[in-house]
Amino acid sequence: METIVKAQPYEFRFEPASTALLIIDMQRDFVLPGGFGEMLGNNVALLKPAIEPTRQVLEAFRRKHLAVLHTREGHRPDMSDCPPTKRARGRLKIGIGDQGPMGRVLIRGERGHGIIERLEPLLSEPVIDKPGKGAFFATDLELILKNLGIRSLVVAGVTTEVCVQTTVREANDRGYECLVLEDCVASYFPEFQRAAIDMIKAQGGIVGWVSTSDELLKVLAGA
Ligand code: TIU
């Protein structure tokens, strides 16, 4: 059944059965002190406001038995999938692969790499491990979306102008229609949050649509 949610630059129309919630990189390494985000010099508290609205949307998708997927940015313990350039970037004292307070930074299997408890995936929800910023690069995300019959994505996660925006651009180029929930995405830079959201919805929705968790929850409750 076609569902319509108030959005910008105009209403977003989607079929719930062919729509997935894609939660990007809500990992301790980005959201909590002592992780990669903080190692980069950021104030991780700025990401916190996105957690609860995302949880509300996650619960709504689960109640409706709609598709939910999660992503995690990170690397193999042997780091063979980490470009040396990525590791060197920032000249960090403690960088990717180094031991930090939550284990080796951005390494699969380490505590910091895990998704925060509030948004913990269910066993039935695919988790995409990605080595890059975009969730389509060097992953099986596209195969999984195709097998699930997904055509539209509702996007949440962090950070808005890095992994969220990269993924939405990748998805848009592949023909997926993306609705970004602006209160469910967050950036370490308020000015980048605003700019990234503006870029997505500008030019008639050149990359996608923007709405809020409240608007989506309203229509999901009635769907
Ligand atoms: N640094 C930053 O803003 N983001 C990342 O490195 N990864 C994600 O956005 N997940």
Side-chain angles (χ1 to χ4, degrees), residues 5-13 177 179 201 204-205 209-210:
V5 57
K6 198 172 151 205
Q8 291 178 309
Y10 53 86
E11 82 282 356
F12 183 74
R13 293 169 180 262
E177 297 206 294
L179 179 69
K201 68 188 180 189
W209 284 257
V210 174

Side-chain angles (χ1 to χ4, degrees), residues 24-25 27 30 36-37 40 42 73 106 130 133 158-164 188-189:
I24 303 198
D25 300 0
Q27 298 160 258
F30 295 108
F36 183 58
L40 292 169
N42 299 306
E73 179 180 351
L106 233 53
K130 63 189 185 62
K133 303 307 180 190
V158 297
T159 62
T160 313
E161 80 282 13
V162 183
C163 291
V164 171
Y188 301 118
F189 302 86

Side-chain angles (χ1 to χ4, degrees), residues 19-77:
T19 300
L21 172 63
L22 183 64
I23 305 181
I24 303 198
D25 300 0
M26 288 299 249
Q27 298 160 258
R28 296 186 189 91
D29 258 325
F30 295 108
V31 176
L32 298 185
F36 183 58
E38 193 172 81
M39 303 301 176
L40 292 169
N42 299 306
N43 172 11
V44 296
L46 287 158
L47 304 190
K48 214 172 157 195
I51 296 173
E52 283 312 310
T54 300
R55 166 90 190 178
Q56 300 288 315
V57 175
L58 175 61
E59 284 177 352
F61 268 69
R62 285 175 176 168
R63 269 197 303 274
K64 295 274 174 192
H65 304 288
L66 303 180
V68 175
L69 295 92
H70 307 256
T71 73
R72 297 185 297 206
E73 179 180 351
H75 298 281
R76 296 168 183 261

